Amino acid sequence: MTARILDGRGLAESIENSLRDEAATFVDMFKRRPRLVVVLVGDLPASGSYVASKERAAGRVGIDAEVIRMPASAATAELVALVRAIAAGDRGTVDGLLVQLPLPEHVDAVAVLDAVPPHLDVDGFHPENAGLLSQGRPRFIPCTAAGVQRMILDAGISTAGRHAVIVGRSDIVGRPLALLLSAKGPGGDATVTLCHSRSDDLADHCRRADILVAAVGRPGLVTGDMVKPGAAVIDVGINRVERDGASRLVGDVDFDAAKERAGWISPVPGGVGPLTVAMLLANTLLAAELSVGKNPR
Ligand code: NDP
């Protein structure tokens, strides 16, 4: 069997098309464009390139994006003060505000993220938004988790009653995804196993998955023999490796081996990554709509 490819790029493009229409309606009604502000601290090349792709995608759908760059030496208090000032409108209207991760080691990331008010928190990391998600009444869902669920729904992969195994329990990917897939309703109702670095018999858990999501950051962690025949395999990992003398991006799954057993598989690049960006735009538009008391979705 060769798996069907879950084309994140194509799906992100169609999501962007509908967001563009929604943004145009917003502009017609409220005479301004939705606006996203991104705080980028330091000069990690990967962070710079993620932020650049968010900025470009915002431009494509009609959302204004401003990137505020801070040096890697910025102190926690300085960043907290900056986030509060942006939220207070000192840099103009703001609908969505995010702080690109990771922050430098000396910075208290929790203090900085907690300074983002919940109504601007388009990354969905604030405890209020995490709490709403855990209670099954989400407002801003963390973008990567939302993207994975959207990919599953779009492909018509059934989740109800199925066993979903998620490898990785971070607050930004694995844990919110476990909440989404186990929630009641479309794209949910799955029985979820959440694995991590202390899980015994990881391969055993994976082999029992109808839906297997890898979100760890280790190339080759999921080998072909860990995939149940016919399973949907979704690879969130992004790892830069040197292969055949060239630098390449790969996921956590051994794609070539897994695709021979899986029913569906997402590639890296071109899988979950573009959907993460599309979901950020969707959250920003939702934030703008909520700010004017309008929520068409
Ligand atoms: P974190 O480092 O925050 O979390 C990694 C998780 O993997 C932890 O729960 C950790 O366990 C677990 N883990 C580590 N080693 C093992 C192992 N050997 N076996 C099982 N579990 C293990 O990473 P993120 O969640 O932020 O990101 C995960 C990956 O996804 C990265 O490659 C990242 O680049 C990528 N990513 C991709 C995005 C996209 O848009 N495609 C967006 C966000 C992230 P423990 O909790 O015990 O430490």
Side-chain angles (χ1 to χ4, degrees), residues 126-153:
H126 190 281
E128 184 175 312
N129 288 316
L132 288 169
L133 175 61
S134 79
Q135 290 186 351
R137 47 188 188 126
R139 177 169 48 197
F140 301 124
I141 302 172
C143 306
T144 305
V148 171
Q149 189 186 44
R150 185 69 181 260
M151 179 179 253
I152 289 171
L153 280 164

Side-chain angles (χ1 to χ4, degrees), residues 104-123:
E105 259 178 29
H106 68 272
V107 173
D108 179 349
V110 173
V112 177
L113 293 180
D114 280 358
V116 177
H119 67 285
L120 301 179
D121 169 40
V122 285
D123 260 341

Side-chain angles (χ1 to χ4, degrees), residues 224-271:
D225 66 315
M226 289 162 76
V227 174
K228 176 175 168 178
V233 177
I234 298 177
D235 195 350
V236 178
I238 301 178
N239 308 290
R240 189 161 284 285
V241 296
E242 296 300 316
R243 204 166 278 174
D244 307 325
S247 170
R248 295 183 47 191
L249 284 186
V250 299
D252 292 342
V253 176
D254 178 349
F255 182 85
D256 290 335
K259 79 175 194 313
E260 298 306 322
R261 285 166 70 98
W264 294 264
I265 191 165
S266 71
V268 177

Side-chain angles (χ1 to χ4, degrees), residues 133 144-146 148-149 152 159 162-183 187-217 221-222 226 231-237 252-253 272:
L133 175 61
T144 305
V148 171
Q149 189 186 44
I152 289 171
T159 52
R162 300 302 167 97
H163 184 203
V165 174
I166 301 166
V167 191
R169 59 176 164 184
S170 74
D171 288 339
I172 65 172
V173 188
R175 196 171 296 281
L177 183 60
L179 290 169
L180 286 176
L181 296 181
S182 61
D189 291 323
T191 304
V192 175
T193 300
L194 186 56
C195 296
H196 45 77
S197 68
R198 305 296 304 271
S199 298
D200 285 337
D201 300 325
L202 180 68
D204 223 42
H205 289 296
C206 293
R207 275 186 210 108
R208 282 185 281 105
D210 301 307
I211 298 165
L212 176 59
V213 182
V216 171
L221 180 82
V222 174
M226 289 162 76
V233 177
I234 298 177
D235 195 350
V236 178
D252 292 342
V253 176
V272 175

